[in-house]
Amino acid sequence: MPAIPVWWYLMVATGLFSIGLYATLTRRNAVNVLMGVELMLNAVNLNAVALWRYASPTVSATVDGQSVQLLSTLDGQVFAIFVIALAAAEAAVGLALIIAVYRSRRTVELEQLDMLQG
Amino acid sequence: MPNLDSILIHFSPELVLALGALVVLLYDIAIRGRDGRQAQLTLVALVLALGATFWLWGQPPLAIFEARGAAGGAVVRPGAFISDGYTHFFRLIGLLTTLLVVLSGMVYLRGRTPFKGEFYALLLCAVMAMNLMAGANDLIVVALAIEFLSITSYVLTAFLRSDPASIEAGLKYFLYGSVTSAAMLFGISLIYGVAGTTSLTPAYAPEAMRTVAGVLAEHDTIAVAGLESVLLPAIMLVLAGVGFKIALVPFHQWSPDAYEGAPTPVTAFLSVGPKAAGFAVLLRLMTRVFGDSGLMSGWMGMIGLIAILTMVLGNIAALTQSNVKRLMAYSSIAQAGYMLVGLAAYGQGQLAGLDPLGSTLLFLLAYIFTNLGAFAIIIAIDHAAGSSELEAFSGLMKRSPFLAIALAVFLFSLIGIPPLSGFVGKFAVFGSAVAAGQIPLAVIGVLTGVISVVYYFRILREAFFGQPVEGAGRLTVAPSLTFVVAVALVMTFAIGLAPGAFVDMANQAAALIAPAGEMLAGH
């Protein structure tokens, strides 16, 4: 097992997630909200990769005559790669929407987007 | 290990849809912006996918699992996708929904956007995402399918780029959606840490494999010791992501704005499709994955609470709306609350001959036809008047008696008046709640249903007793839209008058998501 306990990673990831969530809840500019979401997704990646290192089942194998323990699955790594791709897709669509709103309204301040209310 | 062909046939509806989306896009390029037949191509793809679904219903379910032998120990894990009767049920719902949406929206869209190819391709992708959600058996697939549906929905909502309301709706939908989905992904990463795997349930495969369901039911040990305490918050984060798709209170704030601003056919799609797919994931997670764990009793309390909040808030907020699309947004929130009652009644006794989960599925089946029928009429009026305010419905009886009477039938069905399908749905879910001893849920459901009479009758009062605005003559409707209204009418009466076959269908689908423990015990 690695020397650093898994809790340290989880605390960093939770901190990152909380900062991102705070940004999404308090920021009034759509671009800043998007940045908050990116922080949250990076916290997910950190969690996934750290937990993969600790949580994967191990199998015994013989390498050069020595018996070693290998991690048998790649779930966490694969998860992180998918989340990175997903963050990119989300950012692309999100920025496109923000630009479209800016073109029609000349602002991306969320408080001024008040056409739809009721 | 089965060969690739025998696996791929289980994805034939999704493959047809993906191919259909490509063909529509290529056709759009080939005709270079001239008015073409993209909608007809889309319909062909949807009908072929429906055919593939019916064909798969007769086939044995997908039973793949991986068995990778590393030196010394084999790792066995179940497939990431289950293709069984439950998946087919939701495939059927998704495909029928989209078919009706395309038919009722094709005339509406013709003059409003030059990018029809992209629109229909995105719609086909959205159905594919819904199908994948219905069969997902791996946390990664669940997350990706939900995101796939979300991202296509954002673009569809904001599709009318010249309409500021449409773009604003898209942006708001996106901002709510991206935050809740990030929260859901965080929850999934924690569940992964507890379980050490992302595989959900031991579907049709040997028992000797590690799954999230196995860890929760304590057949398997926790992967990282001491992590049990994060499990409950993690599951709540996942619930937030799924609740957002279904628009359950308190994750519903996006839906009135998105429904009002989106092009009306997209609103019709959003009010049914993502809700159904969200329920597909929610029911599978709650029963087969979390069902065996001791967490179940705590869960049901929370689901019941969310159901109450959703029914109360949806119905009360709908009272003051003046825009019919916005009103239908709150109405559909309330309807989702009724559906949730079936899940809240799960596992505590049942109505004779009907599984509580079956009651949710039956309600869903009744709801899609009724709601899409109502939306077809909203599309017709919005198309003619360019507005979905309540005044646009004035004098509908004089302008088109057929549509006015059909609208009355659909709204009566949404209220739950016999002998219409909505009554059967409500009877099933509230009956299940009573049979399970959840009397308060049933009482609140019926009372809030009474409130809903007020706002549905506001629409009908305009339609039957209002005077048409100046210059509004007879409402001419496209044949495709009339067809949708007719189909919806037939189904509304059919489910209401002869529910037997539909009850069987819902029961059979619900039986497939019994908790994994029962499945294994049955082997």
Side-chain angles (χ1 to χ4, degrees):
Chain A
M1 275 288 117
I4 302 174
V6 68
W7 292 106
W8 294 23
Y9 292 99
L10 292 183
M11 274 150 72
V12 173
T14 309
L16 205 55
F17 181 81
S18 307
I19 294 169
L21 188 61
Y22 179 75
T24 60
L25 296 177
T26 56
R27 292 285 154 171
R28 288 287 157 247
N29 185 305
V31 180
N32 286 351
V33 175
L34 195 57
M35 287 161 73
V37 172
E38 295 293 316
L39 276 185
M40 291 166 82
L41 290 174
N42 281 329
V44 174
N45 287 338
L46 191 57
N47 247 352
V49 175
L51 287 169
W52 166 75
R53 183 68 185 81
Y54 288 84
S56 283
T58 52
V59 291
S60 316
T62 313
V63 179
D64 293 338
Q66 288 190 325
S67 174
V68 291
Q69 294 284 311
L70 298 176
L71 297 177
S72 62
T73 63
L74 281 174
D75 288 15
Q77 300 272 10
V78 171
F79 186 39
I81 287 174
F82 274 126
V83 171
I84 291 169
L86 206 145
E90 225 168 48
V93 170
L95 288 173
L97 286 171
I98 290 172
I99 290 170
V101 166
Y102 184 75
R103 281 199 180 138
S104 74
R105 309 286 285 279
R106 293 280 142 199
T107 179
V108 291
E109 294 292 322
L110 296 177
E111 272 152 5
Q112 293 171 33
L113 300 179
D114 52 5
M115 277 185 80
L116 305 168
Q117 267 179 356
Chain B
M1 200 70 183
N3 64 6
L4 189 60
D5 289 347
S6 70
I7 295 172
L8 275 182
I9 59 158
H10 290 282
F11 291 93
S12 48
E14 288 74 44
L15 292 173
V16 168
L17 292 171
L19 200 66
L22 282 176
V23 169
V24 170
L25 277 180
L26 288 175
Y27 172 77
D28 200 49
I29 295 169
I31 60 163
R32 291 183 199 170
R34 275 172 286 142
D35 200 32
R37 301 194 173 279
Q38 292 93 334
Q40 284 81 348
L41 276 176
T42 309
L43 291 174
V44 170
L46 288 168
V47 169
L48 286 176
L50 264 179
T53 303
F54 281 121
W55 174 73
L56 276 181
W57 228 312
Q59 304 290 315
L62 178 65
I64 46 168
F65 55 94
E66 274 176 74
R68 276 174 306 178
V75 175
V76 186
R77 56 183 296 165
F81 187 85
I82 301 178
S83 174
D84 60 7
Y86 179 77
T87 311
H88 300 326
F89 180 86
F90 279 99
R91 276 173 168 156
L92 182 70
I93 283 189
L95 291 166
L96 282 177
T97 301
T98 317
L99 201 66
L100 296 179
V101 166
V102 172
L103 279 172
S104 52
M106 50 201 274
V107 176
Y108 180 92
L109 282 164
R110 197 171 286 157
R112 284 181 168 78
T113 175
F115 306 111
K116 286 202 297 181
E118 284 91 335
F119 183 88
Y120 289 115
L122 278 170
L123 207 52
L124 287 172
C125 286
V127 200
M128 191 164 80
M130 281 162 49
N131 287 354
L132 293 175
M133 276 168 80
N137 190 39
D138 189 294
L139 284 173
I140 296 178
V141 181
V142 169
L144 289 178
I146 290 182
E147 284 294 318
F148 188 11
L149 179 57
S150 294
I151 290 177
T152 46
S153 312
Y154 306 148
V155 181
L156 285 171
T157 304
F159 207 81
L160 301 180
R161 280 201 309 187
S162 53
D163 177 4
S166 172
I167 309 171
E168 185 182 318
L171 182 63
K172 284 181 171 172
Y173 191 7
F174 167 77
L175 290 176
Y176 279 114
S178 55
V179 174
T180 47
S181 71
M184 177 186 69
L185 288 166
F186 196 72
I188 287 178
S189 71
L190 290 174
I191 293 180
Y192 165 65
V194 175
T197 177
T198 52
S199 293
L200 285 174
T201 62
Y204 311 115
E207 291 168 47
M209 47 186 190
R210 200 178 172 78
T211 60
V212 176
V215 175
L216 291 177
E218 294 170 37
H219 301 312
D220 299 320
T221 49
I222 299 235
V224 178
L227 217 56
E228 303 89 335
S229 52
V230 303
L231 197 58
L232 197 64
I235 294 175
M236 281 161 80
L237 288 171
V238 174
L239 193 63
V242 181
F244 160 79
K245 285 269 80 155
I246 308 177
L248 297 175
V249 178
F251 311 108
H252 68 288
Q253 292 98 333
W254 60 275
S255 85
D257 286 349
Y259 281 38
E260 185 183 347
T264 313
V266 175
T267 310
F269 179 75
L270 290 183
S271 74
V272 176
K275 266 185 211 293
F279 266 104
V281 171
L282 184 67
L283 296 187
R284 208 194 278 275
L285 280 181
M286 284 296 165
T287 56
R288 290 218 59 196
V289 182
F290 305 142
D292 274 348
S293 62
L295 300 164
M296 196 68 179
S297 51
W299 269 122
M300 287 302 136
M302 192 144 84
I303 295 283
L305 185 66
I306 292 177
I308 290 173
L309 286 176
T310 308
M311 290 187 292
V312 170
L313 192 135
N315 279 316
I316 288 181
L319 288 173
T320 55
Q321 302 306 322
S322 61
N323 182 301
V324 175
K325 274 157 85 177
R326 211 176 169 84
L327 191 155
M328 290 304 283
Y330 284 111
S331 143
S332 78
I333 291 172
Q335 300 281 337
Y338 303 144
M339 289 178 219
L340 206 57
V341 170
L343 176 59
Y346 171 69
Q348 306 151 23
Q350 63 178 47
L351 210 60
L354 186 65
D355 193 64
L357 299 174
S359 73
T360 294
L361 299 185
L362 182 65
F363 193 107
L364 198 59
L365 201 60
Y367 168 76
I368 63 161
F369 291 108
T370 308
N371 213 50
L372 286 176
F375 261 105
I377 294 163
I378 298 173
I379 290 172
I381 287 165
D382 191 8
H383 182 58
S387 154
S388 56
E389 293 298 319
L390 211 47
E391 293 83 64
F393 286 73
S394 276
L396 183 64
M397 187 63 196
K398 296 194 180 71
R399 299 177 64 198
S400 171
F402 170 63
L403 287 190
I405 290 168
L407 184 65
V409 171
F410 296 137
L411 296 185
F412 282 150
S413 176
L414 286 176
I415 294 169
I417 291 176
L420 302 165
S421 62
F423 169 73
V424 172
K426 275 194 172 180
F427 182 78
V429 289
F430 296 145
S432 298
V434 171
Q438 303 263 27
I439 314 283
L441 266 181
V443 170
I444 292 173
V446 172
L447 286 182
T448 54
V450 173
I451 298 176
S452 74
V453 175
V454 177
Y455 59 81
Y456 289 129
F457 266 86
R458 280 176 64 210
I459 306 179
L460 290 180
R461 195 183 58 202
E462 287 290 333
F464 282 89
F465 304 115
Q467 290 303 317
V469 286
E470 285 296 311
R474 256 196 93 70
L475 193 62
T476 48
V477 196
S480 57
L481 199 140
T482 313
F483 175 73
V484 172
V485 175
V487 168
L489 273 178
V490 168
M491 291 307 291
T492 302
F493 278 109
I495 299 178
L497 292 170
F502 303 98
V503 171
D504 288 345
M505 202 172 143
N507 262 341
Q508 277 163 16
L512 288 166
I513 51 167
E518 289 175 25
M519 296 281 288
L520 291 178
H523 276 265

